[in-house]
Amino acid sequence: MNRLAEDDPREILKTYVSRHGLKFTRQRELIADVFFNSQGHLRVEDLLESVRAIDPQVSLATVYRTMKLLTECGLASPHRFGDGHTRYEPAETKEEHHDHLICTACGRIVEFLNEEIEELQHRVAAENGFVVTNHRMELYGLCKRCHGQLDQ
Amino acid sequence: MNRLAEDDPREILKTYVSRHGLKFTRQRELIADVFFNSQGHLRVEDLLESVRAIDPQVSLATVYRTMKLLTECGLASPHRFGDGHTRYEPAETKEEHHDHLICTACGRIVEFLNEEIEELQHRVAAENGFVVTNHRMELYGLCKRCHGQLDQ
DNA sequence: ATGACTGCAAACCATTTGCATTGAT
DNA sequence: ATCAATGCAAATGGTTTGCAGTCAT
């Protein structure tokens, strides 16, 4: 539960930024804070809204630029679930990779882990001569609630 | 090898179109022909190029509209592999669903089938209360050729 | 002081759409 | 003849970028 300094995303960002001759601005700090304290799967527009609740001057462009920066330093990862919006979630480590279930009725997004599938993916890739660096797997359908509602 | 009339995409399109009060135009026929005689995974721009080699008057908008129509009648399926372009491939039947391996170096796209993974996907979904209607799985990495080149 | 960052507005770019004309039925 | 489809150009919408002023170092 206790977060060590070297695991704190804010510290990672600070280090990355300084090592690259970049600057740790008020906006970057705010956007990163909002992002890491959110539930994930947020669109840039959503982040902007939350950010502007605190500082109404922040621009959309800056949120885009900051999320790109967070992606570069390995703290965020973008996902596109097909609704034309890029959604960001805190980056995962290799050991805790997860995939997504997306409810096409209510938009709910559920994360899941499955080691067996991961292994099979690597096996299939190897059979085809590929070395996999990353993958995406999304299962679209109806969640329990929406499936129930459609039944009479 | 012999394609029956009811399996011929052109016939399926003709039927769909007439049942819906739509028209089987010269452009639709041409675009469908080009599409079904191509290797798949083509962008709309690519299709337009091939189509214009035969009829230079065809517009981009018509190719977009036709690919949407082919998708509606179940003959084509769109994929987005993350380069900002929608790619179309001939629709698959339920029994022959496949997924993709994408080489991030040369762009090569390889299709594969894996029943085991499909089963696991449904199991995982069920465990989370989901009924899956469709899914996407893409494995990104380096194909044999590109992987070899990077080695010294 | 330097040069990276920001906010703004304009640009991008794949895709969609309005409209007058054309063409399949 | 009817009304859907086409070609064109303009619009859309998420995202990016140029630029002049601002701010972290």
Side-chain angles (χ1 to χ4, degrees):
Chain A
M1 236 42 331
N2 204 356
R3 179 149 6 222
L4 298 173
E6 54 269 29
D7 288 334
D8 183 2
R10 181 204 291 251
E11 293 308 314
I12 293 175
L13 176 59
K14 260 187 178 163
T15 303
Y16 180 92
V17 141
S18 97
R19 280 193 187 149
H20 289 251
L22 309 177
K23 302 192 171 158
F24 191 68
T25 62
R26 198 182 68 252
Q27 291 90 334
R28 282 177 178 170
E29 184 176 13
L30 173 56
I31 294 166
D33 278 355
V34 164
F35 174 63
F36 289 112
N37 290 322
S38 72
Q39 297 311 307
H41 307 123
L42 292 175
R43 301 169 306 156
V44 174
E45 283 286 354
D46 301 326
L47 287 164
L48 180 66
E49 193 182 340
S50 303
V51 163
R52 283 196 168 161
I54 300 167
D55 179 351
Q57 305 311 315
V58 176
S59 76
L60 182 60
T62 295
V63 181
Y64 272 108
R65 289 188 274 229
T66 301
M67 293 317 295
K68 237 181 173 179
L69 174 63
L70 291 181
T71 301
E72 276 167 38
C73 59
L75 290 171
S77 58
H79 290 265
R80 312 211 46 162
F81 295 132
D83 63 352
H85 294 266
T86 298
R87 290 166 188 276
Y88 284 92
E89 64 178 30
E92 57 197 7
T93 63
K94 277 241 170 68
E95 308 82 62
E96 56 186 25
H97 173 80
H98 67 256
D99 291 295
H100 296 97
L101 279 157
I102 298 119
C103 178
T104 51
C106 70
R108 188 145 71 109
I109 298 171
V110 174
E111 301 175 352
F112 69 88
L113 282 80
N114 191 295
E115 269 309 321
E116 253 183 290
I117 294 181
E118 308 278 315
E119 277 180 39
L120 284 170
Q121 288 175 336
H122 280 275
R123 190 190 305 167
V124 166
E127 285 166 6
N128 286 277
F130 271 68
V131 178
V132 174
T133 53
N134 60 74
H135 73 264
R136 54 190 300 172
M137 177 165 61
E138 293 142 23
L139 311 183
Y140 297 88
L142 297 172
C143 70
K144 187 177 275 179
R145 204 180 310 146
C146 292
H147 182 247
Q149 284 178 352
L150 294 182
D151 290 342
Q152 280 311 342
Chain B
M1 232 56 313
N2 205 355
R3 195 183 307 260
L4 298 174
E6 54 269 28
D7 289 333
D8 183 2
R10 179 204 291 251
E11 292 308 314
I12 293 175
L13 175 59
K14 259 187 179 163
T15 304
Y16 180 91
V17 141
S18 98
R19 281 196 188 148
H20 289 252
L22 310 177
K23 298 183 176 168
F24 191 69
T25 62
R26 196 182 70 253
Q27 291 90 333
R28 283 177 178 169
E29 183 175 15
L30 173 57
I31 294 165
D33 278 355
V34 164
F35 174 63
F36 288 112
N37 290 323
S38 72
Q39 297 311 308
H41 308 125
L42 293 175
R43 301 170 306 156
V44 174
E45 283 287 354
D46 300 326
L47 287 165
L48 180 66
E49 192 182 340
S50 302
V51 163
R52 283 196 168 161
I54 300 168
D55 179 351
Q57 305 310 315
V58 176
S59 76
L60 182 59
T62 295
V63 181
Y64 272 108
R65 289 189 273 230
T66 300
M67 292 318 294
K68 237 180 173 182
L69 174 65
L70 291 180
T71 301
E72 276 167 38
C73 60
L75 290 171
S77 58
H79 290 266
R80 314 211 45 162
F81 294 131
D83 64 352
H85 293 266
T86 298
R87 291 167 188 277
Y88 284 93
E89 63 178 32
E92 56 198 6
T93 63
K94 276 241 172 67
E95 309 83 60
E96 57 186 26
H97 173 79
H98 66 257
D99 292 295
H100 298 97
L101 279 158
I102 298 120
C103 179
T104 51
C106 70
R108 189 145 70 109
I109 298 171
V110 174
E111 301 175 352
F112 69 87
L113 282 81
N114 190 296
E115 270 308 321
E116 254 182 289
I117 294 181
E118 308 279 314
E119 276 179 39
L120 284 169
Q121 287 175 335
H122 280 275
R123 190 190 305 168
V124 166
E127 285 166 6
N128 285 278
F130 271 69
V131 178
V132 174
T133 53
N134 60 74
H135 73 265
R136 52 190 299 174
M137 177 165 61
E138 294 142 24
L139 311 183
Y140 297 88
L142 296 173
C143 70
K144 186 177 275 177
R145 203 179 310 146
C146 293
H147 182 246
Q149 284 177 351
L150 294 182
D151 290 342
Q152 279 310 342

